[in-house]
Amino acid sequence: MHIAEGFLPPVHAAVWTCAAAPFVVHGARAVVVQVRENPRSRLLLGAAGAFTFVLSAIKLPSVTGSSSHPTGTGLGAVLFKPPVMAFLGTVVLLFQALLLAHGGLTTLGANAFSMAVVGPWVGYAAFRLTGRLGGGLSLSVFFAMMLADLSTYCTTSVQIALAFPDPQSGVLGAVTKFLSIFAVTQIPLAIAEGLLGVLVFRVLRTVATPELRDLGVLRREKGAVDA
């Protein structure tokens, strides 16, 4: 992630585009509903997209034809839920492909599926599960950010392995090889992203408490009145 332009065989690129498309279309509708029902969340929505753009633009060379970097989608998934991030993440990937030559248009569907679909859903599931197990908000955000990152790279490893299986050990061997290569850079990056997410969320609790309550991320205390 991001898989480079032209790296995937055309059939694989088309299949991943078809797999990501329904999530992106649903996400676009979710964004429209979000803005219509909660207009004051627009600033946070823009901030979530910008946060994802900046973090995922920081890249380190990794597997041939791909790169390692934070993703930033976990925070947006916590704030707005995964469908919104499917659309925002795809827009981010599109702009990065066009403006930064980071990723590509033919691989946009594959990159969107891993970073904008799988990552946010895994991150949001981690956020909810950690909360139900008694973890505080900071711990929940940490695991959401970290696992959204790691799950993106696990998915990318599978995508590349399906396209280029190992001659001896097949797809499973290729997945193992790519995961082991990604792990060198991605595990510390994911931990760092989780810690950064906690810091950003603490700032948001200070400056955007009413908006976080509207989104259901923070509970509204009895008698609390928002400005």
Side-chain angles (χ1 to χ4, degrees):
M1 244 305 296
H2 305 46
I3 301 175
E5 176 67 52
F7 188 72
L8 293 179
V11 172
H12 287 254
V15 168
W16 288 115
T17 298
C18 292
F23 294 95
V24 177
V25 172
H26 176 60
R29 294 175 179 172
V31 170
V32 172
V33 172
Q34 175 64 45
V35 172
R36 182 184 301 153
E37 295 183 351
N38 191 358
R40 68 176 176 179
S41 69
R42 283 179 290 184
L43 284 177
L44 272 183
L45 196 63
F51 183 73
T52 300
F53 183 91
V54 171
L55 279 194
S56 60
I58 303 170
K59 58 181 178 178
L60 300 171
S62 188
V63 176
T64 300
S66 186
S67 60
S68 286
H69 52 77
T71 64
T73 58
L75 184 64
V78 168
L79 296 176
F80 295 103
K81 298 187 174 55
V84 169
M85 284 310 299
F87 178 72
L88 284 186
T90 302
V91 171
V92 164
L93 288 165
L94 177 61
F95 274 93
Q96 288 176 342
L98 293 174
L99 301 179
L100 305 177
H102 192 189
L105 296 179
T106 61
T107 55
L108 180 63
N111 291 332
F113 190 84
S114 61
M115 193 179 96
V117 177
V118 174
W121 274 108
V122 171
Y124 184 69
F127 176 78
R128 294 296 301 271
L129 180 60
T130 304
R132 289 183 179 181
L133 293 176
L137 269 176
S138 293
L139 188 63
S140 298
V141 170
F142 172 79
F143 278 111
M145 296 286 288
M146 183 181 73
L147 293 179
D149 183 307
L150 289 177
S151 63
T152 294
Y153 284 87
C154 289
T155 304
T156 300
S157 296
V158 172
Q159 291 172 325
I160 298 176
L162 288 171
F164 304 100
D166 186 88
Q168 283 75 42
S169 53
V171 172
L172 184 59
V175 170
T176 303
K177 177 176 68 176
F178 293 137
L179 283 174
S180 63
I181 297 173
F182 270 134
V184 176
T185 52
Q186 208 55 42
I187 290 177
L189 278 176
I191 294 172
E193 183 173 347
L195 294 173
L196 176 62
V198 172
L199 293 177
V200 172
F201 189 78
R202 287 181 177 177
V203 172
L204 291 178
R205 291 185 71 174
T206 302
V207 301
T209 299
E211 289 83 356
L212 293 180
R213 286 175 179 161
D214 289 344
L215 293 171
V217 180
L218 295 180
R219 293 182 180 179
R220 188 182 298 273
E221 295 85 359
K222 285 186 177 181
V225 178
D226 297 333

